[in-house]
């Protein structure tokens, strides 16, 4: 595969960069929120994403019949990386997880109702897979869906639903067959203003809000079943392959490394330049090498996706595992290299890197959990790529 971008692709990246310069707004872009900067959680962020829709940049890879342009996935990648590099909202859930799943498996009614809204950024979704006893193992979810007339009645609890407090629709899996673990889950779309839904906040160590969601006799019409009954785990697995790649971008990691490099170039310790310390030079060289590995792993996912067919499961897991663990190692290195001052809170002017080390140290732990923990990614790679038995 070719690891360089074509002239057309480079021109598109420059077009996006110019657009972002024109619409720069500190209330929309905030690199200090790290990976959580991608969520579209304020009116200003929603308005900005609507402008992306007006540019025709939402759903670029979708079929033309659904409002897309059937563009190559690399353009979506370039757009998302540019957004992530600015600490801006990204195209993740609506265009990727929900939109692409509806295109492949949704009814005509669901496509007609939701796809145009996604392209105009008129709707936000929360994703409900995790439960108190079903975190990384989504197939263990227990939230119960019982057939009731021409619909279903949902009862149970979800947890770690980050967008539930501002989204309009809940994309969630529920147990419709208690006797079949992997072939007994169904996907539903549920309005989050339903009177049977209770949302309770949980604050993370990264100062970001996520939520517990309780469903008490929530009735959902058959029209809002996504795809076939009991096929939800298959759809969730396909969507998670997209999530592992699109929601854990490379640009912010590269940016934090560049900031650390600039610090090491000029900082001193005990009167000696840090750049001359052989231990620090060795550590920085290792991080630089790992960054290039991460970049190429990401491009490999793009390349595999452009071939069509099933999502690149193992490549997405390899990228997600390596990049999020690298991001954590980079955060550790920033804390070590910048010394005691690195513990000062983010945006502290007197702190090394203005406190960026402290915030990334807290945020990066979360990234190794979202979209499936590092342990889950290792299991996927072991079974599907290396052919190892399930219980090895």
């Amino acid at each position: 595969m070719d690891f360089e971008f074509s002239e057309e692709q480079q021109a598109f990246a420059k077009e996006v960069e110019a657009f972002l310069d024109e619409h720069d707004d500190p209330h929309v872009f905030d690199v200090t929120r790290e990976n959580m900067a991608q969520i579209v959680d304020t009116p200003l962020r929603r308005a900005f994403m609507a402008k992306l829709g007006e540019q025709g940049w939402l759903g670029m890879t979708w079929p033309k019949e659904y409002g897309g342009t059937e563009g190559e996935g690399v353009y979506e990648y370039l757009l998302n990386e540019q957004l992530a590099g600015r600490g801006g909202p990204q195209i993740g859930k609506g265009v990727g997880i929900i939109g692409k799943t509806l295109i492949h498996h949704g009814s005509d009614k669901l496509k007609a109702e939701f796809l145009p809204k996604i392209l105009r950024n008129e709707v936000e979704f929360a994703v409900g897979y995790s439960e108190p006893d079903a975190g990384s193992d989504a197939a263990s979810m227990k939230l119960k869906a019982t057939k009731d007339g021409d619909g279903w009645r949902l009862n149970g609890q979800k947890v770690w639903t980050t967008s539930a407090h501002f989204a309009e629709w809940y994309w969630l899996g529920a147990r419709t067959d208690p006797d079949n673990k992997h072939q007994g889950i169904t996907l539903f779309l549920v309005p989050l203003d339903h009177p049977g839904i209770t949302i309770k906040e949980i604050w993370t160590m990264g100062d970001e809000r996520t939520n517990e969601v309780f469903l008490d006799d929530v009735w959902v019409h058959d029209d809002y079943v996504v795809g076939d009954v009991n096929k939800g785990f298959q759809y969730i697995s396909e969507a998670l392959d997209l999530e592992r790649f699109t929601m854990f971008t490379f640009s912010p990691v590269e940016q934090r490394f560049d900031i650390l490099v600039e610090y090491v170039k000029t900082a001193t310790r005990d009167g000696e330049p840090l750049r001359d310390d052989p231990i620090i030079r060795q550590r920085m060289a290792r991080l630089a090498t790992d960054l290039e590995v991460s970049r190429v792993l990401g491009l490999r996912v793009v390349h595999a996706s452009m071939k069509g067919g099933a999502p690149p499961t193992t490549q997405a897991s390899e990228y997600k595992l390596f990049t999020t663990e690298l991001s954590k190692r980079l955060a550790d290195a920033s804390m070590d290299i910048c010394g005691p001052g690195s513990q000062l809170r983010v945006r502290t002017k007197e702190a090394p890197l203005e406190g960026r080390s402290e915030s990334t140290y807290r945020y990066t732990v979360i990234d190794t959990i979202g979209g499936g923990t590092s342990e889950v990614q290792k299991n996927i790679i072991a079974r599907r790529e290396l052919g190892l038995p399930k219980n090895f």
Side-chain angles (χ1 to χ4, degrees):
M1 60 173 287
D2 187 355
F3 292 109
E4 301 302 324
F5 298 115
S6 69
E7 291 183 5
E8 292 80 8
Q9 291 160 0
Q10 293 179 44
F12 174 73
K14 290 179 180 178
E15 182 183 358
V16 174
E17 183 178 6
F19 178 86
L20 297 181
D21 288 341
E22 181 184 351
H23 295 87
D24 191 23
D25 184 340
H27 296 99
V28 174
F29 303 99
D30 183 359
V31 294
T32 67
R33 289 185 71 182
E34 305 301 338
N35 197 47
M36 292 299 290
Q38 67 184 272
I39 61 176
V40 191
D41 56 350
T42 67
L44 284 175
R45 286 174 153 245
R46 292 186 72 153
F48 169 77
M49 292 302 287
K51 292 175 183 176
L52 285 187
E54 293 170 3
Q55 293 288 118
W57 292 345
L58 299 182
M60 286 185 290
T61 60
W62 289 11
K64 292 180 180 178
E65 63 181 301
Y66 300 120
T69 57
E70 299 180 8
E72 295 178 341
V74 65
Y75 290 95
E76 209 166 66
Y77 166 81
L78 290 168
L79 173 62
N80 228 26
E81 288 291 340
Q82 289 274 3
L83 292 168
R86 300 287 185 108
Q90 295 162 42
I91 63 176
K93 284 181 296 187
V95 170
I97 296 171
I98 286 85
K100 292 181 179 179
T101 303
L102 288 179
I103 287 171
H104 289 121
H105 304 293
S107 66
D108 290 340
K109 173 181 171 53
L110 292 182
K111 292 174 183 175
E113 181 172 351
F114 290 103
L115 295 183
K117 291 180 181 178
I118 292 172
L119 292 181
R120 296 191 297 267
N121 200 64
E122 294 176 351
V123 60
E124 285 298 324
F125 300 90
V127 175
Y129 301 151
S130 297
E131 298 180 6
D133 297 319
S136 296
D137 183 11
S140 295
M141 64 177 66
K142 298 176 182 176
L143 188 142
K144 189 175 182 181
T146 307
K147 197 73 177 76
D148 183 2
D150 55 356
W152 299 79
R153 199 162 293 279
L154 277 55
N155 285 278
Q157 179 188 355
K158 295 290 182 182
V159 71
W160 315 128
T161 305
T162 300
S163 305
H165 58 293
F166 61 82
E168 289 86 30
W169 285 87
Y170 207 12
W171 174 269
L172 83 162
R175 175 67 56 187
T176 44
D177 183 351
D179 299 321
N180 195 325
K181 181 176 180 180
H182 291 89
Q183 299 297 320
I185 293 171
T186 301
L187 268 179
F188 295 87
L189 272 163
V190 184
L192 275 162
D193 60 357
H194 192 290
I197 293 180
T198 302
I199 301 168
K200 293 187 177 180
E201 64 187 33
I202 302 173
W203 289 95
T204 73
M205 65 189 296
D207 292 333
E208 295 284 351
R209 176 178 171 170
T210 186
N211 303 279
E212 294 178 285
V213 182
F214 300 87
L215 294 91
D216 183 16
D217 275 345
V218 173
W219 190 83
V220 184
H221 194 277
D222 284 331
D223 287 347
Y224 291 90
V225 171
V226 179
D228 296 330
V229 172
N230 293 328
K231 293 291 183 66
F233 184 73
Q234 171 191 331
Y235 308 149
I236 289 170
S237 298
E238 292 174 5
L240 280 172
D241 291 333
L242 293 169
E243 179 179 349
R244 286 167 188 146
F245 179 59
T246 60
M247 298 187 75
F248 298 96
T249 45
F250 172 73
S251 294
V253 187
E254 181 181 42
Q255 181 204 68
R256 284 192 281 113
F257 176 73
D258 290 341
I259 292 172
L260 182 60
V261 167
E262 290 304 312
Y263 175 79
V264 171
K265 282 181 178 178
T266 58
T268 60
R269 184 168 298 157
D270 297 330
E272 298 294 328
L274 284 182
R275 66 177 182 270
D276 293 338
D277 186 312
I279 301 299
I280 289 180
R281 291 173 69 88
Q282 181 187 53
R283 196 164 186 182
M284 296 297 289
R286 173 61 188 271
L287 289 170
T289 303
D290 286 349
L291 271 171
E292 180 61 11
V293 173
S294 173
R295 185 184 77 87
V296 172
L297 284 173
L299 291 175
R300 193 174 65 153
V301 178
V302 176
H303 179 71
S305 299
M306 289 170 62
K307 292 181 178 180
T313 300
T314 54
Q315 292 97 325
S317 289
E318 287 164 359
Y319 169 78
K320 197 270 177 181
L321 171 65
F322 191 88
T323 302
T324 57
E325 290 293 338
L326 166 60
S327 183
K328 194 165 65 172
R329 292 197 301 275
L330 175 57
D332 290 345
S334 296
M335 293 289 284
D336 293 344
I337 292 172
C338 294
S342 66
Q343 299 179 49
L344 295 172
R345 296 286 282 187
V346 66
R347 294 193 179 90
T348 301
K349 294 294 184 182
E350 299 79 11
L353 315 185
E354 295 190 355
R356 187 82 183 272
S357 302
E358 180 274 337
S359 66
T360 57
Y361 188 82
R362 290 181 289 115
Y363 270 89
T364 52
V365 176
I366 300 170
D367 292 346
T368 63
I369 299 170
T373 64
S374 291
E375 290 73 19
V376 168
Q377 308 314 316
K378 291 176 183 178
N379 284 335
I380 291 172
I381 296 164
R383 294 198 307 270
R384 301 186 188 182
E385 183 74 13
L386 302 178
L388 296 176
K390 187 171 184 179
N391 296 316
F392 59 92

